[in-house]
């Protein structure tokens, strides 16, 4: 789409400069092309009328036809409301307005039949619809036989009368002019093979569907196209990188063999062995590695990373490993130090709180090559940190890092790029992984070390606190330790902190003989570290904390994770928190505390947690509940601005689109064939707007 579709939106009939500015700001709609791709997010079936006695409050939207019997203004001032009752042959329904009353009241007349449309709700035991759309019923009502599209809009736009209906009208104005300008954007052969609807009809049907069948054909075609081009671009990036970026070759396994046969602290799982092989294969391939290692909490990613480091180091390379927090960096450092000692390697730790004298020494040893491994936080990314020969850069728990930061590690060496390994404990559903990481190779550790006991997860209401305290007591008497986690978010920070400290005081009163620690993000990092260490060494028995302990912390003796206000946490966060226990040989427990008032979603999240400990199952459930836009890290990808597809629902279309993209590239890697001219054009138009993604991972 070009030329016509680049026309500024203000030149569309019915828009003008003021509304154009709002559309720019509120919906990112700048051009005709932007508007036409502002697809409906839902369709309302206006072909169907409900009988009043068949309506229930759990229905999302209903349309009813009824005669207005009674109309009344109730209350005064801010509590003023307009109430109307309509009846059909089955019953009576209340309609209510709190705003725009003057305007509505003018439209309503007793004894006239209306069509009302809205979301039913239960209020004081009575069913009503607040702020319904309402219009006089005529035999030729404009909505009859029509699936009405619903467009996303905002409060500000609505104030300027740009509600969903108004946007629909704009779409109709635009379509009238636009249809002749719409050109096909998929190759003919793909359209034929997949029996896709053509582009012009798809656009038309998506905004003004003739019937359900045409609508679903249009949706399929547009989603397929969107996902096809994303996959094609990702696959091309991968091909290009394999071509362009030479990888350093590391193939010396002498250190690895020594470690593996003499110093390995435990038998590796088969999944760990498999992933080690995959990484080593990359390291010796001559191509730069870009690999994501996914494994649930506790699956043992660290040792895998370490073993592969040995191959790099044997051949004279250095390794950097970056963690998102100081606590986590330090834990990696301590854990890995024990291993490096056994084979005489040099390792150091660099964080924001490293003293400057130590820092200087580290800088020197990195530059002259004496230092083999550096562990650290963002501090690693400072310009002063230079390597003699950085062979591999590892980032742990990547979702905490922005794309920008991850790419910085690359730029340490001018001409040769280090191999990149990203470790993630956030299980990502297949559909999402394909889209987010379509240009990375993915290794999955899908097996936990032997002997781990399944964590028991229980949901308890706040009123059962006494039982919970009793449970804590028993566990502590058996020599174990307990986490109690409170939510803390910026918007309600003060109140949250108060809950946390109140909880801490209550725990101190309930367990006067025990040492109890407290950790939250507002504390100085020395104090935090002090408390963490006290807990890790077993001195304190209970740790009251916020989610600062979410990532990576490892205290095998802690067997109970209590999560307060569990309803306020997201699923993946709950899963991460639960992963803090169950790290030793003892049976572990996770207790989700909540009050009785739970939203449907919160109930679903808690139910999912109680049902399963499988990270992938949880991730799928999370995707369904929240949608992909909310998933951690996805905003950073820049590829998630999907116009029409929904990754939580369109997995099958994605799969098909990816297969097709692969086929196209297999047949015609450089896209020079005539039939693929359409694709080439489309990609060129993308490239105009997008910066270089190939440098990012
Ligand atoms: P994560 O994948 O969550 O980063 P870690 O690497 O921290 O997991 O490993 C969790 C714990 O399991 C560590 O204490 C580690 O030493 C231990 N571990 C890792 N692999 C094995 C194994 N194959 N057998 C027994 N314990 C293991
Ligand atoms: Mg870890």
């Amino acid at each position: 789409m070009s030329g016509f579709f680049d026309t500024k939106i203000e030149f569309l009939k019915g828009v003008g400069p003021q509304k154009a500015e709002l559309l720019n700001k509120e919906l990112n709609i700048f051009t005709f092309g932007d508007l036409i791709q502002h697809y409906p997010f839902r369709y309302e079936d206006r072909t169907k009328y409900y009988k009043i006695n068949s309506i229930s409050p759990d229905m999302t939207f209903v349309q009813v036809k009824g005669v207005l019997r009674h109309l009344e203004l109730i209350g005064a001032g801010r509590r003023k409301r307009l109430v109307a009752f309509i009846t059909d042959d089955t019953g009576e329904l209340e309609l209510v307005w709190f705003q725009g009353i003057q305007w509505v009241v003018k439209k309503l007349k007793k004894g006239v039949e209306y069509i009302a449309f809205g979301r039913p709700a239960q209020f004081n035991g009575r069913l009503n619809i607040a702020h319904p759309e309402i219009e006089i019923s005529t035999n030729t009502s404009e909505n009859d036989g029509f699936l009405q599209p619903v467009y996303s809009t905002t409060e500000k736009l609505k104030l300027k009368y740009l509600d969903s209906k108004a946007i629909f009208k704009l779409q109709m104005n635009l379509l009238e002019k636009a249809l002749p300008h719409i050109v096909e954007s998929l190759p003919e052969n793909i359209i034929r093979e997949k029996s896709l609807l053509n582009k012009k009809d798809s656009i038309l049907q998506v905004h003004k569907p003739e019937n359900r069948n045409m609508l679903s054909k249009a949706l399929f075609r547009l989603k397929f196209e969107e996902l096809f081009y994303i996959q094609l671009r990702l696959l091309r990036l991968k091909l290009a990188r394999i071509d362009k970026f030479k990888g350093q070759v590391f193939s010396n396994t002498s250190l690895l063999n020594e470690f593996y046969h003499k110093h390995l602290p435990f038998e590796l799982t088969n999944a760990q062995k498999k992933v080690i092989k995959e990484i080593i294969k990359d390291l010796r391939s001559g191509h730069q590695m870009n690999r994501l290692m996914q494994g649930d909490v506790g699956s043992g990613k660290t040792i895998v990373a370490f073993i592969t480091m040995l191959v790099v180091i044997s051949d004279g390379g250095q390794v950097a490993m970056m963690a998102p927090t100081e606590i986590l960096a330090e834990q990696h450092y301590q854990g890995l130090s024990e291993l490096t000692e056994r084979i005489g390697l040099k390792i150091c730790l660099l964080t924001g709180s490293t003293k400057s004298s130590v820092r200087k020494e580290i800088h020197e040893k990195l530059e002259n090559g004496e230092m083999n491994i550096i562990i650290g936080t963002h501090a690693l990314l400072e310009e002063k940190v230079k390597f003699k020969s950085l062979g591999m850069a590892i980032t742990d728990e990547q979702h905490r890092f922005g794309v920008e930061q991850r790419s910085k590690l690359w730029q340490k060496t001018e001409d040769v790029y280090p191999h990149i390994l990203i470790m993630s404990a956030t299980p990502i559903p297949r559909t999402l992984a394909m889209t987010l990481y379509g240009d990375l190779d993915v290794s999955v550790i899908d097996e936990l070390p032997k002997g781990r006991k399944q964590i028991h997860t229980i949901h308890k209401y706040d009123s059962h606190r006494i039982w919970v305290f009793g449970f804590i007591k028993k566990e502590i008497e058996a020599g174990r330790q307990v986490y109690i986690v409170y939510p803390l978010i910026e918007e309600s920070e003060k109140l949250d902190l108060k809950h946390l400290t109140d909880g801490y005081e209550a725990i101190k009163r309930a367990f006067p003989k025990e040492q109890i620690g407290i950790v939250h993000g507002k504390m100085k990092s020395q104090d935090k570290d002090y408390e963490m260490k006290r807990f890790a060494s077993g001195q304190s028995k209970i740790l009251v904390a916020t989610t600062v302990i979410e990532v990576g912390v490892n205290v095998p003796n802690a067997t109970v994770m209590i999560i307060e206000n569990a309803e306020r946490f997201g699923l993946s966060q709950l899963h991460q928190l639960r992963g803090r226990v169950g790290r030793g040989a003892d049976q572990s427990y996770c207790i989700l505390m909540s009050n009785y008032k739970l939203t449907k979603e919160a109930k679903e999240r808690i139910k999912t947690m109680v049902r399963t400990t499988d990270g992938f199952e949880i991730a799928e459930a999370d995707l369904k509940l929240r949608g992909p836009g909310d998933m951690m890290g996805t905003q950073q990808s820049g590829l998630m601005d999907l116009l029409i597809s929904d990754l939580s629902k369109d997995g099958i279309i994605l799969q098909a689109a990816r297969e097709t993209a692969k086929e196209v590239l297999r047949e015609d890697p450089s896209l020079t064939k005539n039939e693929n001219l359409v694709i080439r054009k489309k990609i060129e138009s993308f490239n105009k707007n997008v910066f270089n993604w190939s440098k990012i991972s």
Side-chain angles (χ1 to χ4, degrees), residues 242-348:
I242 290 172
D243 266 2
K244 210 163 37 196
F245 299 141
K246 285 247 171 335
Q248 309 170 62
V249 177
F250 297 110
S251 58
N252 185 336
T253 52
S254 56
L255 272 173
L256 182 144
N257 284 330
E258 186 194 335
F259 180 82
Y260 201 89
H261 295 297
K262 294 197 195 134
H263 306 292
L264 198 62
F266 34 65
E267 174 78 17
L268 296 179
T269 63
N270 286 329
Q272 285 172 316
K273 288 181 194 165
K274 176 193 73 190
V275 173
I276 289 173
K277 277 189 199 139
E278 286 167 354
I279 295 173
I280 289 178
K281 200 170 157 209
D282 284 354
L283 292 176
R284 58 167 53 149
S285 71
H287 300 301
Q288 188 225 8
M289 172 173 78
N290 251 280
R291 189 170 282 279
L292 174 75
M293 166 162 52
Q294 262 197 55
D296 214 339
V297 275
S299 60
K301 295 182 288 292
T302 321
I303 189 89
V304 169
F306 178 74
I307 287 172
T308 60
M309 284 180 199
L310 296 178
V311 180
V312 173
I313 295 167
S314 291
D315 262 336
Q318 294 166 298
V319 179
M321 180 162 169
M322 184 162 68
T325 63
E326 286 199 12
I327 295 176
L328 189 57
E330 194 158 314
Q331 240 179 27
H332 274 316
Y333 173 69
Q334 272 158 9
L336 292 181
S337 295
E338 278 170 32
L339 303 177
T340 51
E341 240 168 52
R342 303 177 191 204
I343 44 174
L345 294 181
K346 281 220 146 116
I347 185 168
C348 65

Side-chain angles (χ1 to χ4, degrees), residues 358-422:
V358 179
R359 228 169 240 266
K360 229 177 123 196
E361 196 187 322
I362 290 176
H363 290 163
E364 272 171 34
K365 289 189 173 161
L366 280 174
E367 265 192 275
N368 67 24
E370 237 178 276
M371 190 61 70
N372 304 112
I373 302 169
I374 183 167
I375 312 288
T377 54
H378 307 73
L380 293 187
L381 301 178
E382 284 164 16
E383 242 162 76
K384 277 188 217 139
V385 182
K386 294 199 181 83
F387 295 83
K388 181 167 185 221
S389 85
L390 179 62
M392 177 155 71
I394 302 173
T395 54
D396 193 11
E397 315 284 356
Q398 48 77 33
H399 64 257
R400 294 287 167 117
F401 291 109
V403 161
E404 177 60 20
Q405 283 167 346
R406 272 189 269 138
S407 66
K408 259 194 184 166
L409 261 183
W410 286 63
Q411 291 158 3
K412 295 274 171 190
T413 34
E414 286 286 295
D415 40 350
V416 236
Y417 291 103
H419 295 287
I420 299 285
L421 181 63
I422 299 163

Side-chain angles (χ1 to χ4, degrees), residues 127-144:
L127 207 63
N128 72 17
I129 298 181
H131 286 249
E133 282 176 28
I134 190 155
E135 63 189 55
I136 293 173
S137 162
T138 56
N139 286 335
T140 55
S141 189
E142 99 178 79
N143 291 326
D144 275 352

Side-chain angles (χ1 to χ4, degrees), residues 174-185:
L174 177 56
L175 272 176
E176 207 178 300
K177 293 213 171 65
L179 281 181
H181 297 275
I182 297 175
V183 291
E184 187 47 68
S185 47

